[in-house]
Amino acid sequence: MRVRDLLTHRSGLARGDALWWATPYGREEVLRRVRHLEPSWSFRSAYGYQNIMFLAAGQIVPAVTGQSWDEFVKRRLFEPLGMTATNTSVTVLNGAGDVAAPHSPVDGRMQPVGWRNIDNIGPAGSINSSARDMAQWIRLQLGGGVYNGRRLLSAAAVREMHAAQTVIAIDTLSERLWPSTHFRAYGLGWSLSDYRGRKLVGHGGAIDGMRAQVTLVPEDRLGVVVLANGGEPSRLLTQAV
């Protein structure tokens, strides 16, 4: 398996989220236990969303640089982009001032719930941010890797991230709901599709009581980020190992 395979959801493994969600396992132990997941498809044959492969990709960072993934993204991305309200762990949110509380339905009404610590799957989605900070990330993507005149990512890397790597089949329900969508695919960490002749590059994510959606329309240099502190309880349609 290559790094590209880790980032394009074609490992052949089902999600396996019960390995990390609300478990005591650290990053290394989550990866060690992946060996017990039975493949759901043959390798590189189909799209199958897999958070743990993003953890595996993130763990390459300390192996190569000697820095943790958390420190690396802080120094290489957050700081140059001026994302001062962004971090990689809920453990730093206590006492951080104006911080949103997650909300989920409890006893028939939306109520505050605790922040879910997902440090053990960090590279797959532990980043906490704000609309303002996320706007800077959008500017970097729409700028082809350049932010305020400084190149942080190569133009070739951004093009490759936004290019189709794994085809996602469009089922009949999706055809009826979104008749203007003619293709769906996954790039390097981005979901790709089209809408009325425009290419869309985006991604969503959710954890207990929190949801996020980022969408880019590169041709129009348009980017939208939506952050919400409410949602349904997590539904883990996976097997525990």
Side-chain angles (χ1 to χ4, degrees):
M1 191 178 294
R2 300 185 178 189
V3 177
R4 186 181 298 265
D5 298 312
L6 300 176
L7 299 175
T8 53
H9 300 302
R10 59 192 189 196
S11 66
L13 298 174
R15 294 180 68 115
D17 289 336
L19 275 175
W20 58 267
W21 188 86
T23 73
Y25 308 139
R27 294 178 184 178
E28 293 79 7
E29 183 62 14
V30 170
L31 285 178
R32 191 188 73 81
R33 288 174 179 255
V34 170
R35 71 187 68 188
H36 301 299
L37 286 178
E38 293 290 338
S40 299
W41 312 275
S42 59
F43 181 45
R44 293 178 179 160
S45 68
Y47 170 86
Y49 202 89
Q50 231 294 341
N51 284 307
I52 302 172
M53 294 301 100
F54 273 74
L55 168 61
Q59 287 298 88
I60 294 172
V61 172
V64 172
T65 69
Q67 290 182 311
S68 68
W69 169 83
D70 310 77
E71 185 65 20
F72 186 82
V73 296
K74 177 183 177 182
R75 293 188 179 279
R76 294 291 294 270
L77 293 172
F78 299 164
E79 291 180 355
L81 292 174
M83 297 174 69
T84 56
T86 302
N87 56 67
T88 59
S89 176
V90 297
T91 59
V92 303
L93 297 183
N94 284 317
D98 187 14
V99 179
H103 287 67
S104 286
V106 179
D107 297 329
R109 63 188 182 92
M110 294 294 286
Q111 298 187 43
V113 297
W115 291 311
R116 172 64 61 187
N117 186 317
I118 55 171
D119 290 0
N120 62 351
I121 196 74
S126 71
I127 293 176
N128 309 297
S129 192
S130 67
R132 180 201 169 278
D133 278 14
M134 288 301 297
Q136 313 319 308
W137 172 244
I138 286 175
R139 288 188 172 104
L140 176 68
Q141 293 290 323
L142 294 177
V146 174
Y147 177 80
N148 281 348
R150 178 184 176 187
R151 179 164 291 284
L152 302 179
L153 301 171
S154 71
V158 174
R159 283 196 301 271
E160 196 69 6
M161 283 190 285
H162 295 179
Q165 310 288 332
T166 303
V167 173
I168 302 175
I170 299 178
D171 57 28
T172 55
L173 176 60
S174 297
E175 287 178 343
R176 293 197 300 270
L177 291 175
W178 300 287
S180 65
T181 297
H182 302 96
F183 88 92
R184 293 182 64 208
Y186 202 85
L188 297 175
W190 288 102
S191 297
L192 311 174
S193 62
D194 66 319
Y195 178 74
R196 296 187 176 183
R198 287 290 191 268
K199 178 182 177 181
L200 304 182
V201 178
H203 216 291
I207 196 65
D208 306 44
M210 291 288 193
R211 291 184 176 274
Q213 178 66 47
V214 178
T215 298
L216 313 176
V217 188
E219 294 168 82
D220 296 330
R221 295 185 63 78
L222 171 66
V224 177
V225 56
V226 179
L227 306 176
N229 62 331
E232 293 293 325
S234 298
R235 302 179 185 276
L236 296 178
L237 303 179
T238 53
Q239 58 179 328
V241 176

